[in-house]
Amino acid sequence: MTLNAVSNWQFSSPDGKANYEAARRRYPAQAIVDMAALRDNMRHLVDVVGGPNSGTAVMGVVKADAYGHGLLPTALAALAGGATWLGTAQSHEALLLRKLGIGPDRCHILTWVYNGLEVPFDELIDNDIDVSVGSLPGIDAVAAAARRLGKTARVHVKVDSGFGRNGFTEESFDAALAKLVPLAKEGVLDIVGQWSHLAVADSPDVPEFVASTDRQIENFKAFTACMEAAGIAPRIRHLANTAATLDRPEIHFELTRPGIGLYGYEPDPAMGTPRDWHLKPAMTLQAQLGTVKHIDKGHGISYGRTYLTPDDTSTAIVPLGYADGIHRSASGFDMQGAKHIEKLGGPVRVMTAEGPKLYRVSGRVCMDQFMIDLHGSCDSLGVHEGDTVELFGPGRGEQYAEPTADDWARAADTISYEIFTCLRNRIPRLYLNAADVLAPDDLAKLDPTTLL
Ligand SMILES: *Cc1c(COP(=O)(O)O)cnc(C)c1O
């Protein structure tokens, strides 16, 4: 009899249950993604911008394998929730979405990271994928590909309103307009949009950051005015990420680009919790315990002996490590005063005979596993090898023994985005509620062995 610290998953069919059991045999940890949560988060974001007829569209940002949630299932759930755009950083993911059956009749796709010299612009244009231009060589390369194909390229002009990354600065903008205007007149480029990215929209508590966002907005508007004056007014202006979609309605313009909100998280705990923003974390990361055993007081745990057991205790192995994307910086140190190193490790929810308890990574995270100190005897706690534990899920936070990716981010000194995107693909991704969320022809596009 094993104990389970996660929800009792509701399988859609006997096949779903068989897929779950097969995944557990294949790998001792699983990432369960709730497609209904993805859809509902997108529905909510569409509501936040005023609904489907508001004049503001919403892009589901699905770059980096949909922040580790799986590109195609996430894209389809976002569309089911009312997204009419998808966005990827790298062009290969944009092309993959088209290849996997999301045609131009379904949605626009925008892609933005490339170097002007070695990107398949021909293929992007041919597949009706919108591209960003933010450098002079980029304009030349897109225009050359459009001429070769004899097809107008849809472009979004990226401006650097203050982020300091991609896009034209004020200084380079005249030269950009000098190239863009004739290309637009000639019909080589269709100047669809103007866009930029915000640096600190997730810190509404820091007055200087609010002021900096205000300045970015003013700069953005000044770039729009330049484009209008040059006769290439952008039809679609977009600036808002999740943070600004949620709390800066004045810059929703014609399109917003939420990423982390689709996955159910606020961008920064400084903004509150997912619940405060009516978002539901879509991913649960669970694992089945390896060896559980008694350990004497004062025993060193893991490499470097950075954790010495404070009492006679039991430990359990969680079979996930940094090669799975568990941050080594989420290691937990406790030297019992010897060297005064104390640092809380990443949280793990474990079901015990006394109910659910929160434990922490004890000692260094290894390549494929880490240990947790159970602070008691495994016999009296009723914890066994094979029990299912939860690293993070849709709960209320570690103070309720319901850890979230924000809690892991705090332990690893990073952000929830990195917690998700670091999870390696050797961890099976399994999808809940796919049949409820997707129409049959979309359902048929997914790998059936991944559906619960
Ligand atoms: C990743 C990204 C987004 C989404 O940001 P979130 O904070 O996840 O909402 C939007 N726009 C661009 C350009 C991005 O790179």
Side-chain angles (χ1 to χ4, degrees):
M1 175 43 201
T2 56
L3 295 179
N4 180 9
V6 301
S7 317
N8 281 313
W9 305 120
Q10 300 298 308
F11 302 112
S12 63
S13 69
D15 283 350
K17 188 159 188 281
N19 288 339
Y20 183 69
E21 285 165 1
R24 287 177 56 135
R25 279 195 300 277
R26 184 167 92 243
Y27 208 73
Q30 306 84 34
I32 314 285
V33 177
D34 181 357
M35 293 187 64
L38 293 171
R39 175 200 56 197
D40 294 346
N41 291 330
M42 181 50 75
R43 272 191 186 150
H44 178 64
L45 293 162
V46 171
D47 277 349
V48 165
V49 303
N53 303 315
S54 64
T56 300
V58 182
M59 173 188 294
V61 176
V62 293
K63 65 192 181 198
D65 200 25
Y67 292 37
H69 291 63
L71 179 67
L72 185 61
T74 303
L76 293 174
L79 295 176
T84 51
W85 287 74
L86 295 172
T88 74
Q90 306 286 358
S91 51
H92 81 96
E93 288 191 319
L95 287 166
L96 192 55
L97 288 169
R98 289 285 191 240
K99 209 164 286 168
L100 292 171
I102 301 180
D105 54 318
R106 290 290 295 279
C107 68
H108 298 290
I109 298 177
L110 174 67
T111 181
W112 55 84
V113 175
Y114 56 82
N115 74 66
L117 307 179
E118 288 175 88
V119 74
F121 282 122
D122 306 63
E123 222 182 319
L124 291 168
I125 298 166
D126 198 32
N127 281 281
D128 300 290
I129 292 166
D130 291 23
V131 294
S132 171
V133 291
S135 71
L136 299 178
I139 296 176
D140 292 342
V142 177
R147 283 189 206 283
R148 272 199 303 278
L149 276 178
K151 180 169 173 179
T152 303
R154 289 170 51 93
V155 301
H156 297 236
V157 179
K158 184 84 181 254
V159 296
D160 186 350
S161 59
F163 192 99
R165 192 170 63 181
N166 322 97
F168 296 106
T169 56
E170 235 181 277
E171 181 233 331
S172 60
F173 207 47
D174 282 346
L177 291 175
K179 277 185 186 288
L180 290 169
V181 170
L183 288 166
K185 276 214 183 94
E186 202 191 320
V188 176
L189 303 184
D190 177 10
I191 313 293
V192 174
Q194 177 217 346
W195 73 306
S196 189
H197 197 42
L198 295 170
V200 285
D202 54 0
S203 302
D205 54 328
V206 184
E208 68 186 84
F209 286 170
V210 174
S212 156
T213 299
D214 290 340
R215 277 198 304 280
Q216 279 204 259
I217 295 168
E218 286 319 303
N219 292 340
F220 186 78
K221 289 180 175 166
F223 279 110
T224 310
C226 289
M227 290 177 69
E228 284 167 349
I232 50 167
R235 302 195 295 280
I236 300 174
R237 296 162 299 164
H238 47 112
L239 180 57
N241 50 10
T242 297
T245 301
L246 292 174
D247 76 352
R248 285 270 188 165
E250 73 276 19
I251 54 162
H252 287 167
F253 298 121
E254 290 75 45
L255 177 65
T256 77
R257 304 187 311 268
I260 198 75
L262 168 60
Y263 307 100
Y265 279 81
E266 85 301 328
D268 189 299
M271 289 182 68
T273 66
R275 267 155 217 255
D276 296 335
W277 297 99
H278 308 286
L279 298 169
K280 183 180 180 196
M283 184 191 286
T284 298
L285 181 62
Q286 63 175 31
Q288 286 76 46
L289 292 179
T291 301
V292 178
K293 65 186 184 193
H294 296 281
I295 292 270
D296 290 340
K297 176 176 175 164
H299 203 296
I301 304 289
S302 193
Y303 291 108
R305 292 173 58 80
T306 55
Y307 185 94
L308 304 177
T309 50
D311 284 299
D312 288 352
T313 188
S314 297
T315 58
I317 292 178
V318 178
L320 284 167
Y322 58 79
D324 295 292
I326 303 301
H327 287 66
R328 191 164 177 273
S329 50
S331 297
F333 302 157
D334 186 348
M335 296 292 286
Q336 299 310 309
K339 285 193 204 152
H340 308 289
I341 307 175
E342 266 187 65
K343 177 192 167 295
L344 289 180
V348 180
R349 174 184 166 92
V350 178
M351 188 58 72
T352 74
E354 300 158 15
K357 284 185 189 270
L358 189 91
Y359 294 109
R360 291 184 179 279
V361 178
S362 305
R364 288 215 165 109
V365 173
C366 310
M367 190 181 293
D368 291 85
Q369 47 198 330
F370 64 80
M371 278 63 82
I372 51 178
D373 181 350
L374 295 172
H375 296 291
S377 155
C378 50
D379 303 328
S380 43
L381 288 164
V383 175
H384 310 95
E385 184 164 340
D387 287 359
T388 297
V389 301
E390 179 178 300
L391 282 77
F392 58 80
R396 291 168 295 170
E398 63 182 23
Q399 64 274 35
Y400 299 96
E402 297 171 9
T404 66
D406 277 336
D407 295 321
W408 273 87
R410 195 176 316 107
D413 194 19
T414 181
I415 53 177
S416 63
Y417 300 65
E418 195 184 12
I419 298 297
F420 301 125
T421 53
C422 283
L423 294 178
R424 300 290 291 271
N425 280 340
R426 70 186 201 176
I427 303 172
R429 305 304 199 266
L430 298 168
Y431 296 94
L432 276 178
N433 297 317
D436 292 341
V437 170
L438 301 183
D441 53 337
D442 275 351
L443 190 61
K445 295 183 176 83
L446 298 184
D447 173 354
T449 67
T450 63
L451 306 180
L452 294 185

